[in-house]
Amino acid sequence: MAPPVAELKAMTDAFDGIDRLAEGAPRTDGAPNFRRMPGFPLFGTGQTTIEGFEKCLEPVIKKYGDEKHIFWVNLRQEPVVYVNNKPFTARDPKNVNFHLEINNPEECSAMETDFAEEIRKRGEDFKYYKDQFGEHPEERATNEELTEKLTGVTTINEIYAAIKDKVPKLEPIRIPMNQENSPAEENFDQIVAMLKDTTASCPVIFNCQAGISRTTTAIVIAGLVKELQLTRELDRMRGIVPDDILDALKKKKLGLPGIDIEVQEDRNAMQMGEFEVIKELLAAFPNAKVAKAQVDKLIDLAAPPPRGTGVENIRECIIESKMTFDVSSDDWQTYLKNKIMNNIERYFYLIVFAMYVREVGPKGFPQTFKQFMDANSNLRDMIAEGRGKLEWERKIPDEKLEELKTLLSAADFKENMGKIIKRIYELSWDMFGDLPRGHHKNNSMHKLASKTMIEILPANLAAFVEKKCGSLAGTPDFFDVIGQVSWYEPEA
């Protein structure tokens, strides 16, 4: 439950490093990460400045000005107000690094109105915290409260109203989506309800704080509906346009890599989302294969270059986080493990939603996605039980360590050190053979080598190393352990 408005603190929305667009990509002043998904009337951005709203709308109106609606979808659960023309979020002072989670759009808007009034009541010295980029939420803010002169406060709804006077076809909608978790089933339904009676070329602009994770996810969800709409519109042209031309157009616009189109590049299985729970889904539901191919195509289009124009690949980020997990400290691993499982769940839900769109969409969506999930509740059980089915701890098999333990327990063990080091690295390489080359793989191998070296230490060497390097539970660096072992001399 959110604290009283009088207790809320303000924090900047923008932060250093918010811009994730590729070098050379076009940028829009006041609209971080504004981009269009190739081939679709779908746009994404971070929270804009007041001027940034209209700058985003300019290319949309220019290209899609004949459409009946232009949707602007705010995906934020957290209340946002504009102070001195810049966006700020309302934060709980007891948990200032985390966003408030308000799932009801009307409640969130009401809190924004109340918070704007509260800021006015606090006088001309506007106090706020500065947000900053951090992988872990605990790193996302400074503890220093800053001050600037208050020149104006407004709410998002007031900004929308002013823009709507100039652009009457603008339709602002709020679909609160959680920043850390997979979208709720209701979120999928809200996007379907918005789009199902529109044309394939009806434009949508999605925004969250930075325009990265939630925005990319929503773009992929909308892309699945848009492809259904495009299929319908092309089918209506049958008999008007020659079949061979129409079929070629459908293949170009809607063809799926690995299904209709040959895959040109060879990617790692984990990069392609072949997690255990996804393989279970594909085995249990034959139509999931095509659905996965469709989701993968859209994820790649919404990803950074060279495949897309976006700022995050929401499938490949899972294995990237896993590689970071493999080399992180225990406290970081707790956070990363939860993040990885949430992102696997999101990927699973996107594939299931694609199955739903392909099955229910052609009938006009008589059944909501939530109802579809109710009718197939085994899917909820599958992801609840399978989201954590990942190899969290890689360990060299015990039988392969016996030779190393023997070499290290020998009286002349120092003569064996070269062979021990070489063999540990060979085994570590084998254990991470599925990872692509790079610093993540190197770091993962190095950490496993450290753990393995500690595991094979005989009692006398373990006691000596712990005395010199500190607790072995903290996994001292491999080279530190090797150095201390090399210096060891038995007591006379």
Side-chain angles (χ1 to χ4, degrees):
M1 183 176 176
V5 171
E7 296 178 12
L8 295 175
K9 298 289 186 179
M11 181 178 286
T12 59
D13 238 5
F15 53 84
D16 294 338
I18 194 172
D19 180 9
R20 300 290 186 83
L21 291 171
E23 185 177 351
R27 283 163 168 77
T28 303
D29 289 341
N33 298 318
F34 180 65
R35 75 278 186 188
R36 171 176 169 255
M37 182 165 147
F40 291 81
L42 300 174
F43 299 79
T45 181
Q47 194 70 48
T48 70
T49 61
I50 291 179
E51 295 79 9
F53 279 99
E54 293 193 39
K55 289 186 178 180
C56 288
L57 284 168
E58 286 173 7
V60 179
I61 293 170
K62 183 177 180 180
K63 188 171 181 66
Y64 301 102
D66 293 335
E67 289 297 317
K68 185 177 179 182
H69 303 285
I70 297 174
F71 291 107
W72 190 301
V73 183
N74 180 354
L75 297 168
R76 307 191 67 174
Q77 285 183 309
E78 59 274 19
V80 181
V81 296
Y82 279 73
V83 181
N84 301 344
N85 295 328
K86 297 170 291 189
F88 290 78
T89 52
R91 302 285 181 113
D92 182 345
K94 297 177 182 176
N95 211 7
V96 75
N97 289 14
F98 293 80
H99 282 307
L100 295 176
E101 297 180 5
I102 314 297
N103 290 317
N104 183 294
E106 290 75 22
E107 182 184 345
C108 200
S109 294
M111 186 176 289
E112 288 169 345
T113 301
D114 293 342
F115 188 49
E117 184 57 34
E118 175 63 27
I119 290 172
R120 294 186 190 99
K121 288 195 299 187
R122 292 176 184 176
E124 63 178 16
D125 289 333
F126 170 58
K127 295 183 178 181
Y128 64 94
Y129 291 98
K130 182 176 174 57
D131 199 0
Q132 60 188 25
F133 174 72
E135 178 72 21
H136 194 292
E138 293 293 352
E139 296 183 334
R140 293 177 187 166
T142 62
N143 293 320
E144 180 185 1
E145 198 167 32
L146 307 174
T147 302
E148 66 179 63
K149 292 297 180 183
L150 181 67
T151 59
V153 187
T154 188
T155 65
I156 292 178
N157 283 345
E158 290 170 337
I159 295 169
Y160 287 149
I163 298 173
K164 201 166 170 59
D165 286 341
K166 302 176 187 177
V167 187
K169 62 178 64 181
L170 178 69
E171 298 290 344
I173 294 175
R174 193 168 204 145
I175 300 178
M177 195 176 285
N178 190 282
Q179 179 173 328
E180 307 292 342
N181 300 331
S182 172
E185 291 169 11
E186 291 81 359
N187 294 150
F188 291 92
D189 280 327
Q190 288 165 317
I191 292 175
V192 170
M194 173 182 70
L195 292 177
K196 68 178 183 178
D197 295 323
T198 65
T199 65
S201 53
C202 175
V204 186
I205 303 170
F206 292 99
N207 89 267
C208 57
Q209 179 184 1
I212 301 175
S213 182
R214 286 177 285 184
T215 292
T216 303
T217 302
I219 285 174
V220 172
I221 294 170
L224 291 165
V225 180
K226 289 292 182 186
E227 288 208 323
L228 170 71
Q229 293 172 326
L230 182 58
T231 300
R232 284 176 176 170
E233 292 176 11
L234 290 174
D235 285 344
R236 292 192 193 108
M237 297 168 64
R238 189 78 61 184
I240 302 172
V241 177
D243 286 356
D244 58 338
I245 295 177
L246 196 59
D247 291 340
L249 184 60
K250 288 182 76 171
K251 185 175 182 178
K252 180 181 178 182
K253 291 284 189 180
L254 302 166
L256 301 177
I259 305 293
D260 311 301
I261 304 170
E262 184 179 350
V263 178
Q264 297 297 323
E265 59 181 318
D266 183 26
R267 277 190 268 178
N268 179 279
M270 292 293 100
Q271 288 179 305
M272 287 308 300
E274 295 177 13
F275 308 106
E276 285 303 314
V277 70
I278 302 301
K279 290 191 279 189
E280 288 176 20
L281 177 65
L282 297 177
F285 295 86
N287 55 340
K289 180 181 179 182
V290 173
K292 180 182 183 299
Q294 186 180 11
V295 168
D296 285 337
K297 181 189 82 169
L298 294 176
I299 285 176
D300 287 343
L301 285 174
R307 302 187 195 103
T309 56
V311 291
E312 181 175 70
N313 187 306
I314 58 175
R315 179 191 63 251
E316 292 183 3
C317 72
I318 299 171
I319 189 60
E320 290 167 3
S321 292
K322 178 58 171 65
M323 289 190 287
T324 302
F325 173 93
D326 288 334
V327 297
S328 295
S329 59
D330 292 345
D331 57 334
W332 264 94
Q333 285 190 336
T334 300
Y335 167 74
L336 286 170
K337 184 174 182 178
N338 193 54
K339 177 182 178 180
I340 291 164
M341 292 192 296
N342 287 341
N343 287 341
I344 289 175
E345 182 172 337
R346 173 178 63 185
Y347 183 51
F348 180 95
Y349 259 96
L350 287 171
I351 296 171
V352 172
F353 179 71
M355 293 163 53
Y356 160 78
V357 170
R358 298 178 74 87
E359 178 181 328
V360 178
K363 305 168 189 174
F365 294 104
Q367 182 185 39
T368 67
F369 183 55
K370 191 173 186 306
Q371 289 169 339
F372 176 84
M373 292 300 293
D374 288 341
N376 296 275
S377 59
N378 57 321
L379 287 167
R380 292 188 184 123
D381 296 334
M382 185 182 292
I383 186 57
E385 296 167 5
R387 66 198 294 269
K389 289 183 179 178
L390 208 60
E391 189 178 31
W392 295 109
E393 188 72 34
R394 300 200 186 192
K395 182 180 180 300
I396 295 172
D398 290 339
E399 62 271 17
K400 294 185 178 182
L401 298 181
E402 289 306 315
E403 178 192 2
L404 293 173
K405 288 180 179 180
T406 300
L407 290 171
L408 203 52
S409 298
D412 59 346
F413 69 89
K414 290 184 182 181
E415 299 295 323
N416 300 327
M417 289 304 294
K419 185 175 182 180
I420 291 169
I421 293 169
K422 181 174 183 290
R423 184 56 179 152
I424 287 176
Y425 263 102
E426 287 174 345
L427 291 169
S428 297
W429 173 271
D430 291 342
M431 292 303 297
F432 288 98
D434 60 320
L435 298 188
R437 290 178 180 269
H439 72 277
H440 275 299
K441 182 169 186 168
N442 292 339
N443 291 343
S444 298
M445 288 171 52
H446 189 76
K447 186 173 182 180
L448 180 59
S450 301
K451 289 185 174 182
T452 303
M453 188 64 196
I454 290 166
E455 186 176 351
I456 64 173
L457 290 174
N460 59 325
L461 288 177
F464 178 77
V465 172
E466 188 158 41
K467 183 179 178 181
K468 297 291 185 179
C469 296
S471 173
L472 298 185
T475 314
D477 183 78
F478 180 67
F479 295 123
D480 289 341
V481 176
I482 292 294
Q484 294 302 329
V485 169
S486 300
W487 281 102
Y488 175 79
E489 292 292 343
E491 295 182 2

